[in-house]
Amino acid sequence: MKIGIDKMAFATTDQYIDLTELAAKRGVDPNKYTIGIGQDRQAVVPPTQDIVTLGARAAQKLLTPDLARRLSTLIVATESGIDNSKASAIYIKHLLGLDDYVRTVELKEACYSGTAAIQFARGLVALNPQETVLVIAADIARYGLNTPGEVTQGAGAVAMLVSANPRVLAIEPTSVSYSRDVMDFWRPLYATEALVDGKYSTNVYIDFFKNTLTRYQQRTGRELADFAGIAFHLPFTKMGKKALEAVLQDRTDAVANRLRDQLAASQVYCRQVGNLYTGSLYLGLMSLLQNGAVAAGDRLGLFSYGSGAEGEFYSGIIQPGFATALSDIPHDLAGRHQVSVAKYEQLFNSQLGMRAEDVQFDTQADQAPFVLAGQKNHQRIYQRR
Ligand code: COA
């Protein structure tokens, strides 16, 4: 029985900054951001949006009444949790109006947990092929104003249905996961921004990619030539290039060049949105499926990485219905509007964050279907339009 990703949808905020403008404000050569880091635009998050509203919006794009009735479980993968106890999945389930007999849970391991959610969902479907699991990978990547990580921020959610007889990607049985206790990136309970040793993290990422790919190749006997393309976790697009080149080295043969071209296709949306943490690999997968030279029957490799650290390499076969089972990302990105760096800084500083007092946000400026209206008696108030 084939099990895998049946449908995918992406949601981000409706505003962005141009990173050449940010470079000018920070006194940096814009080529450092657009070429050295590989990012052109970055999603800007108003205080009325968080992982719950973004996750609900992504899920709303792929659910039909019939699909919603078939859901057994909702797993939200995030490292931008809004509560230390209650799962964001419960808020999202409520906003979506899902049945109360749906299992709801949240998973965490930095940027990796979306992949764990998919593997756990696969297990549930293998036990009971009637089940459909909704996986939502939602995050807001925050490093702080005027920090080296600022240019690698971003925000958004990818919602995925995992089921038998999938339309997008049938996941193959062999996967290799690898974890080690590493302090490359973390966020203490009292902090709203991550602490990161970016250069160290880049090296650990490459190391984990080489380890998991090598073990995968040993177990399956497959070569790089067996992949039509590889989708990477993309905290910034240059990261995927660094990892791919670490295994291609100076190869210029047809296989190496094909993987480079497909990497470029997988980076298209990340360049426009920035880092999604848990959702980045899956936005990269959608980008590869919509912009790459791929066809049904092709094998794709997927490399997932979460600081701390955990990596996983696995693969899947593209299914015939893939083109019609993905949300229209170019349309959504074209509908965003640009804001100034000053406006971005003001919005950055007006998030709910760690505040304990009652707060009421002005929701008029936010046209999204789900908004965070504020906080009352220590409870977040969400609205569905
Ligand atoms: N034109 C073109 N490229 C330029 C440039 C210019 N004018 N100026 C610098 N660059 C290049 C550098 O050569 C470097 O390329 P390389 O990495 O291929 O060597 C790149 O731009 C970045 O420059 P660097 O000086 O290393 O940047 P930085 O010290 O500001 O830090 C990060 C960059 C990515 C380490 C930092 O943004 C960060 O920590 N981000 C968070 C990382 C993260 O997400 N970690 C989790 C991983 S999953």
Side-chain angles (χ1 to χ4, degrees):
M1 178 178 60
K2 289 181 186 173
I3 303 175
I5 302 173
D6 181 55
K7 218 174 170 187
M8 303 179 85
F10 168 65
T12 183
T13 64
D14 62 358
Q15 45 202 302
Y16 68 88
I17 47 166
D18 186 315
L19 293 178
T20 58
E21 284 194 8
L22 183 68
K25 272 276 179 345
R26 301 291 182 247
V28 171
D29 179 349
N31 288 341
K32 173 174 174 181
Y33 289 177
T34 57
I35 300 169
I37 304 279
Q39 295 298 123
D40 294 334
R41 292 176 174 180
Q42 184 174 104
V44 169
V45 188
T48 44
Q49 292 294 310
D50 67 6
I51 55 151
V52 168
T53 59
L54 291 168
R57 192 173 183 183
Q60 189 190 44
K61 290 183 191 190
L62 55 64
L63 286 178
T64 61
D66 182 49
L67 286 169
R69 267 193 299 278
R70 279 194 256 155
L71 292 182
S72 69
T73 302
L74 163 57
I75 309 176
V76 175
T78 188
E79 56 176 303
S80 317
I82 48 129
D83 190 292
N84 286 328
S85 178
K86 181 169 171 170
S88 52
I90 298 206
Y91 293 94
I92 294 179
K93 193 212 81 166
H94 177 74
L95 285 175
L96 294 171
L98 298 179
D99 193 277
D100 286 346
Y101 290 96
V102 171
R103 183 188 290 117
T104 45
V105 71
E106 183 173 309
L107 284 188
K108 179 173 70 184
E109 181 0 63
C111 303
Y112 165 73
S113 63
T115 299
I118 287 175
Q119 295 293 14
F120 297 163
R122 224 179 111 217
L124 287 171
V125 176
L127 285 171
N128 181 3
Q130 307 308 316
E131 292 199 20
T132 297
V133 178
L134 172 58
V135 170
I136 300 174
D139 271 301
I140 294 173
R142 265 175 82 90
Y143 289 94
L145 302 177
N146 224 337
T147 63
E150 182 179 33
V151 66
T152 63
Q153 299 180 125
V158 178
M160 297 170 270
L161 294 178
V162 176
S163 72
N165 304 315
R167 278 169 285 181
V168 178
L169 193 75
I171 296 173
E172 295 188 293
T174 303
S175 69
V176 176
S177 46
Y178 179 83
S179 62
R180 268 190 359 232
D181 188 356
V182 170
M183 293 304 282
D184 59 332
F185 171 110
W186 67 103
R187 183 162 65 87
L189 286 176
Y190 49 80
T192 53
E193 282 95 48
L195 301 171
V196 60
D197 183 342
K199 303 254 161 68
Y200 178 46
S201 188
T202 299
N203 290 335
V204 179
Y205 177 119
I206 294 169
D207 188 33
F208 277 36
F209 172 57
K210 290 202 288 199
N211 272 350
T212 54
L213 175 65
T214 303
R215 179 66 70 98
Y216 174 94
Q217 289 179 315
Q218 287 164 349
R219 284 192 187 159
T220 59
R222 291 182 190 130
E223 305 286 335
L224 287 178
D226 292 308
F227 298 101
I230 299 176
F232 289 85
H233 166 54
L234 296 174
F236 48 100
T237 66
K238 182 73 160 294
M239 189 65 247
K241 179 174 159 62
K242 282 175 187 270
L244 183 62
E245 294 303 334
V247 296
L248 295 181
Q249 299 191 334
D250 50 8
R251 279 177 63 171
T252 53
D253 55 282
V255 169
N257 287 338
R258 182 181 75 222
L259 293 177
R260 288 187 180 106
D261 289 346
Q262 302 284 51
L263 174 69
S266 76
Q267 294 166 326
V268 172
Y269 301 145
C270 175
R271 266 191 174 274
Q272 302 296 313
V273 177
N275 193 357
L276 308 189
Y277 287 162
T278 49
S280 287
L281 166 60
Y282 297 97
L283 182 63
L285 172 62
M286 291 180 82
S287 190
L288 176 52
L289 291 169
Q290 290 187 330
N291 302 298
V294 294
D298 284 348
R299 172 178 291 109
L300 297 182
L302 293 94
F303 176 64
S304 184
Y305 176 79
S307 295
E310 170 116 22
E312 179 162 337
F313 188 91
Y314 71 106
S315 60
I317 305 294
I318 300 176
Q319 298 300 294
F322 78 96
T324 57
L326 307 172
S327 69
D328 188 349
I329 298 178
H331 173 268
D332 291 350
L333 295 183
R336 299 186 300 171
H337 64 275
Q338 186 180 344
V339 295
S340 66
V341 173
K343 178 74 178 168
Y344 141 71
E345 290 178 341
Q346 181 235 317
L347 293 172
F348 187 95
N349 288 323
S350 48
Q351 302 293 314
L352 188 56
M354 298 280 178
R355 276 183 280 176
E357 70 271 18
D358 289 356
V359 177
Q360 205 172 355
F361 293 128
D362 174 11
T363 55
Q364 294 306 311
D366 190 340
Q367 297 305 308
F370 305 102
V371 289
L372 173 64
Q375 175 171 269
K376 196 163 191 310
N377 298 330
H378 306 282
Q379 298 176 24
R380 287 185 175 231
I381 313 295
Y382 290 102
Q383 287 173 0
R384 181 191 170 130
R385 301 265 179 53

